[in-house]
Amino acid sequence: MLAPGASIGILGGGQLGRMLSIAAARYGLKTHVFCPDDGSPAFDVAHAHTVAAYEDEVALAAFAESVDVITYEFENVPAATAAFLAGRRPLRPGLTALSTAQDRLVEKSFVAQLGIGTAPFAAVDSVADLEAALTRLGRPAVLKTRRMGYDGKGQAKIGVDDDAAAAFAAIGCAPAILEGFVSFAQEISVIAAFGDGGTFAAFDVCENTHRDHILDVTRAPATIAPATRDAAMAAVRAIGDALGYVGVLTVELFVLADGATLLVNELAPRVHNSGHWTIEGAVTSQFAQHVRAIAGWPLGDAASLGQATMTNLVGDDIDGWLELLREPGVHLHLYGKGKARPGRKMGHVTRVTPRPA
Amino acid sequence: MLAPGASIGILGGGQLGRMLSIAAARYGLKTHVFCPDDGSPAFDVAHAHTVAAYEDEVALAAFAESVDVITYEFENVPAATAAFLAGRRPLRPGLTALSTAQDRLVEKSFVAQLGIGTAPFAAVDSVADLEAALTRLGRPAVLKTRRMGYDGKGQAKIGVDDDAAAAFAAIGCAPAILEGFVSFAQEISVIAAFGDGGTFAAFDVCENTHRDHILDVTRAPATIAPATRDAAMAAVRAIGDALGYVGVLTVELFVLADGATLLVNELAPRVHNSGHWTIEGAVTSQFAQHVRAIAGWPLGDAASLGQATMTNLVGDDIDGWLELLREPGVHLHLYGKGKARPGRKMGHVTRVTPRPA
């Protein structure tokens, strides 16, 4: 268990690392952020930072030496980096969670083995594999690289008339997974914390809508049936338990048109964009909760404070910052990034309507 | 008006600077903390920090050069330092507020001239002055240094049998003020923001109790009559307007036994310990509000989210941190300070009971 004054190492210096670092500071914990990119947003609120490649073992060793526990803000931490660090300090969440979540094929196979629904899928390592998979799963379908995809990157949709070889080329002929097309009614996510000794605390299930493959709006709680909510929670708990998970885990799921059938879309072994509403919308934020979990501390109260809506500010959306500041009760968060490139997450706003007592 | 990405200079690196820095980061603003003490708590969450004396003009010039606006977390900024910086960058709150608040005699005279009640007072520069003042104001009375007093330091109570010369010696024969003894029923504070163009937003009036001359518990809202609340607000607004104030201003007042008479005890031209409850207890925290005000931004919604109680963790109180983490709904804040010396503010906890809708 960490004592106040202890230090948390964070791999990755983006907005998630930034908000984790702020949450740690609230608890009197120091952070050391490791990121290859100079001027990363999280550096502004960290006790220390290191700019180095994830393959730089001298820098990694010094980083590990300076902290008491290590976590990460993204699941694409190279396996060798994770293993190197895990040999020196507790890595939370651990190697199993990381290796499972960073490969779509491993992830889907793991979820399916637990008896939890996923979209139909098949491994694709060649055009021949892809042709066979298309025959089995039908069209349309989505071809995704097994690794390193996010926000719609590394994906190719294959329609009725599309050429399989062209699609495989479009994702760089990388090891891939073909996923059968799922017509879903809602996309939801469950963000839950797994603490030391098997403790568990989930936030309200929330509901997500996307724009150009990037999360646009999250609403909490999701408008789903109580039985669906309970089933989603049970699935997430089973996934975390099977991974021996410590920390905050995010699971994205599809709800089909019957309102009851759930398919796991993706795991993220970390705090998540769809959990930003918890900063003002829950008693404990996802960031504070993750810090508590990896510190070995008792988990906080995950209850909601009302109905929350989080809207991302992507690219030029940030130009509306002053207008947003003028709107009573809007909580504006900006990430301290430089240029507002299209598709770049620059900030978010959260609106909370208190729940009637 | 500051744009996102701009930089705020903060004089002082304690817990107030730390919480200001976190609030600024939430809005995508950078901070540069200037403090003579190595390892100051605010450094952990600042983009940049300078360790130098407040008299070091080379360091001050470089500090001013690196930021867009300058503020402070304590009112005892040396006058020369403040003037030096104000010549280079906007200093908010300004020199008038600072010079008024850092001298008890100037402060009380200023308040009295506005027609707002204070304890009876007299200037004391010698034992002869003190004897005359005691004759006029009566005993018991409290002798206080004009400058640099806080948390009961620089004060001597003079009872019926106490020797005036000894009391003057006890405060180092410094320029002083004698205050007539006030028997009050409650101590309250008003924390309010003054924005650009005369905008004003006050938090709920709160009520304070002390232990060993250090703030112990703050409750918001205070249990006072609506007319008393309105009178306190009006006094604070008049004070801020007369000072041409920009930023968050704190005014401590005594409520006498009639429940109606108000006497101003002290001004603090800054965020204040008795406003920590606003982090979870109000829509906008005092720290976020101060940042908005000094940035020239629209003020935020200062409405409360319920009934809040803030309790300081002083000295050994911090040993209870784990027990506090176990209590549902308690918001624990630790300041990242090293040793828990007696009287040292190490953190605080806030409990909020949501207000029925």
Side-chain angles (χ1 to χ4, degrees), chain A residues 1-5 18-19 21-31 43-48 279-280 282-284 292 297-301 305 318 321-322 324-336 354-357, chain B residues 1-5 18-19 21-31 43-48 279-280 282-284 292 297-301 305 318 321-322 324-336 354-357:
Chain A
M1 184 183 293
L2 299 194
R18 182 176 170 101
M19 291 185 271
S21 198
I22 288 173
R26 285 268 167 92
Y27 287 132
L29 298 166
K30 297 187 193 309
T31 56
F43 294 171
D44 284 348
V45 286
H47 172 72
I279 295 175
E280 293 89 7
V283 177
T284 307
R292 292 170 77 122
W297 291 2
L299 297 180
D301 184 350
L305 296 169
I318 196 180
W321 67 273
L322 184 55
L324 289 164
L325 278 175
R326 289 202 183 100
E327 188 184 329
V330 160
H331 299 283
L332 175 68
H333 293 254
L334 300 178
Y335 304 148
R355 178 169 293 167
Chain B
M1 184 183 292
L2 300 195
R18 182 177 170 102
M19 291 185 271
S21 198
I22 288 174
R26 284 268 166 91
Y27 286 132
L29 297 166
K30 297 187 193 308
T31 56
F43 294 171
D44 285 347
V45 287
H47 172 72
I279 297 175
E280 293 90 8
V283 176
T284 307
R292 293 170 77 122
W297 291 1
L299 297 180
D301 183 351
L305 296 169
I318 196 182
W321 66 274
L322 184 54
L324 290 163
L325 279 175
R326 288 202 185 101
E327 188 184 328
V330 161
H331 299 284
L332 175 68
H333 294 253
L334 300 178
Y335 303 148
R355 179 169 293 166

Side-chain angles (χ1 to χ4, degrees), chain B residues 265-286:
Chain B
N265 178 39
E266 202 166 83
L267 311 183
R270 53 169 170 83
V271 290
H272 193 262
N273 194 166
S274 66
H276 291 356
W277 63 272
T278 59
I279 297 175
E280 293 90 8
V283 176
T284 307
S285 79
Q286 65 167 347

Side-chain angles (χ1 to χ4, degrees), chain B:
Chain B
M1 184 183 292
L2 300 195
S7 192
I8 297 175
I10 302 173
L11 295 168
Q15 64 269 19
L16 298 180
R18 182 177 170 102
M19 291 185 271
L20 278 172
S21 198
I22 288 174
R26 284 268 166 91
Y27 286 132
L29 297 166
K30 297 187 193 308
T31 56
H32 183 162
V33 176
F34 189 109
C35 187
D37 306 317
D38 205 11
S40 289
F43 294 171
D44 285 347
V45 287
H47 172 72
H49 68 265
T50 296
V51 178
Y54 290 121
E55 294 73 29
D56 181 342
E57 294 198 345
V58 174
L60 289 173
F63 168 71
E65 185 68 30
S66 75
V67 300
D68 300 291
V69 64
I70 297 174
T71 191
Y72 39 88
E73 62 147 24
F74 70 121
E75 58 272 33
N76 293 320
V77 176
T81 305
F84 181 89
L85 293 172
R88 282 160 175 77
R89 287 289 183 277
L91 180 73
R92 294 181 148 184
L95 292 176
T96 307
L98 196 58
S99 62
T100 303
Q102 66 186 203
D103 183 315
R104 291 180 193 279
L105 181 62
V106 174
E107 179 179 286
K108 281 222 156 45
S109 306
F110 162 77
V111 171
Q113 276 164 19
L114 291 174
I116 298 168
T118 69
F121 64 93
V124 171
D125 288 312
S126 65
V127 175
D129 285 350
L130 179 53
E131 298 281 12
L134 283 167
T135 301
R136 185 158 70 83
L137 304 184
R139 295 170 178 245
V142 184
L143 184 66
K144 300 177 177 178
T145 56
R146 286 173 57 174
R147 294 176 169 274
M148 302 297 285
Y150 69 98
D151 289 351
K153 295 184 172 72
Q155 301 194 8
K157 192 172 169 191
I158 306 179
V160 176
D161 299 322
D162 292 325
D163 180 56
F168 195 53
I171 62 156
C173 302
I177 179 173
L178 185 74
E179 297 181 8
F181 189 76
V182 172
S183 174
F184 58 87
Q186 291 167 292
E187 188 196 304
I188 61 173
S189 49
V190 178
I191 299 170
F194 296 78
D196 254 357
T199 55
F200 176 81
F203 294 103
D204 267 350
V205 177
C206 53
E207 190 169 345
N208 306 315
T209 54
H210 291 74
R211 191 177 55 169
D212 302 332
H213 298 284
I214 299 171
L215 181 63
D216 181 20
V217 175
T218 296
R219 289 186 179 80
T223 52
I224 53 174
T228 306
R229 179 196 63 209
D230 293 347
M233 289 287 179
V236 172
R237 182 136 201 194
I239 289 168
D241 286 345
L243 292 170
Y245 202 92
V246 176
V248 163
L249 170 67
T250 304
V251 181
E252 293 180 15
L253 304 103
F254 297 130
V255 184
L256 302 196
D258 62 7
T261 307
L262 292 167
L263 302 180
V264 167
N265 178 39
E266 202 166 83
L267 311 183
R270 53 169 170 83
V271 290
H272 193 262
N273 194 166
S274 66
H276 291 356
W277 63 272
T278 59
I279 297 175
E280 293 90 8
V283 176
T284 307
S285 79
Q286 65 167 347
F287 303 101
Q289 193 73 299
H290 186 70
V291 167
R292 293 170 77 122
I294 66 170
W297 291 1
L299 297 180
D301 183 351
S304 291
L305 296 169
Q307 201 279 324
T309 305
M310 188 287 310
T311 306
N312 269 337
L313 302 176
V314 179
D316 287 347
D317 293 347
I318 196 182
D319 295 344
W321 66 274
L322 184 54
E323 210 47 54
L324 290 163
L325 279 175
R326 288 202 185 101
E327 188 184 328
V330 161
H331 299 284
L332 175 68
H333 294 253
L334 300 178
Y335 303 148
K337 296 183 179 178
K339 201 150 173 62
R341 293 191 301 268
R344 192 176 200 197
K345 292 176 180 171
M346 302 301 293
H348 72 269
V349 291
T350 299
R351 296 170 175 88
V352 181
T353 308
R355 179 169 293 166

